[in-house]
Amino acid sequence: MEPDETKIATDLKTKVMEKDFEDNQATKKLKSLAEDIRFCMYTTYEDGRIVSRPMTTLDIDAEGNIWFFTSRHAELVKDVPQGNARRGDQVTLIYSDPKSNTYLSVSGTASIVESERRKDELWNLMSKAWFPGGKDDPDLAVLRVTTQEAAYWDSTSSKMVVFFSMLKAVITGSTPDGGDHGKLNLV
């Protein structure tokens, strides 16, 4: 690296607080970030291209599994294993809340879980908009994403603080404070 590149890399590392979490702490951090945002882009790789669609997070359990409802006929479940298989399609869930400067990327495997008990636990009034037949709708499927790895970026500063941090960086030639970033090691 050139000397200027080394300085920039060092500045960036000191400006972004690396905070990795393990096991239960990682699950708590995942839950706190994703449940506040609730909506994600569910991303798969299909026929040589990346495909994303919005999904509503219904639950994140104690193991860090993320739960959704979906249609049995949706494109996103065409190759997802049925039953309680641990292995399935590789997916990425992308959560974004620009208002609070919070971002989360989750990689894992998807599987359809056949469980009436889980349907009952996850069901809410808003689900009826998508599944008018209720919990007994034959098209309703429970989708679990088993988290393999996750990373987050979280700046709890207000927009004004972020703006002034960027302005200061421009004036002084430094790098703005990037907030917290880290890995969530759930496995």
Side-chain angles (χ1 to χ4, degrees), residues 7-8 11-12 15 160-178:
K7 181 184 180 327
I8 291 169
D11 285 349
L12 280 173
K15 295 292 183 182
M160 192 60 83
V161 171
V162 171
F163 171 75
F164 282 116
S165 175
M166 291 175 72
L167 184 60
K168 177 184 168 194
V170 169
I171 292 169
T172 63
S174 63
T175 306
D177 181 6

Side-chain angles (χ1 to χ4, degrees), residues 10-79:
T10 303
D11 285 349
L12 280 173
K13 195 166 194 163
T14 59
K15 295 292 183 182
V16 177
M17 287 293 283
E18 290 281 339
K19 290 186 181 177
D20 293 350
F21 293 90
E22 302 286 332
D23 304 319
N24 290 346
Q25 294 300 325
T27 302
K28 286 179 186 175
K29 184 71 172 179
L30 174 69
K31 284 179 70 100
S32 74
L33 295 172
E35 287 179 346
D36 284 348
I37 299 171
R38 294 223 24 211
F39 299 97
C40 71
M41 292 303 290
Y42 181 98
T43 305
T44 56
Y45 190 74
E46 300 170 16
D47 301 322
R49 61 190 178 91
I50 297 170
V51 179
S52 298
R53 74 274 296 151
M55 297 283 285
T56 304
T57 302
L58 297 174
D59 185 35
I60 300 172
D61 65 24
E63 288 82 41
N65 298 314
I66 303 173
W67 297 83
F68 304 93
F69 280 142
T70 190
S71 165
R72 291 186 186 281
H73 301 96
E75 278 294 308
L76 72 96
V77 297
K78 68 180 179 178
D79 296 321

Side-chain angles (χ1 to χ4, degrees), residues 134-149:
K135 292 181 277 189
D136 298 323
D137 190 324
D139 192 40
L140 177 65
V142 177
L143 179 68
R144 174 184 63 207
V145 172
T146 303
T147 301
Q148 293 171 328
E149 61 184 24

Side-chain angles (χ1 to χ4, degrees), residues 73-177:
H73 301 96
E75 278 294 308
L76 72 96
V77 297
K78 68 180 179 178
D79 296 321
V80 173
Q82 304 292 310
N84 290 319
R86 291 290 294 177
R87 300 280 308 148
D89 276 356
Q90 294 293 316
V91 301
T92 299
L93 309 176
I94 302 167
Y95 293 85
S96 173
D97 184 1
K99 287 182 182 176
S100 67
N101 294 315
T102 302
Y103 305 91
L104 176 66
S105 176
V106 178
S107 298
T109 54
S111 58
I112 298 296
V113 176
E114 301 295 340
S115 169
E116 293 304 314
R117 179 187 60 77
R118 200 64 179 129
K119 278 185 187 179
D120 289 341
E121 292 170 353
L122 296 173
W123 187 258
N124 62 51
L125 183 60
M126 296 308 290
S127 299
K128 192 162 178 114
W130 295 101
F131 301 98
K135 292 181 277 189
D136 298 323
D137 190 324
D139 192 40
L140 177 65
V142 177
L143 179 68
R144 174 184 63 207
V145 172
T146 303
T147 301
Q148 293 171 328
E149 61 184 24
Y152 73 96
W153 296 262
D154 188 18
S155 175
T156 55
S157 300
S158 69
K159 284 186 178 184
M160 192 60 83
V161 171
V162 171
F163 171 75
F164 282 116
S165 175
M166 291 175 72
L167 184 60
K168 177 184 168 194
V170 169
I171 292 169
T172 63
S174 63
T175 306
D177 181 6

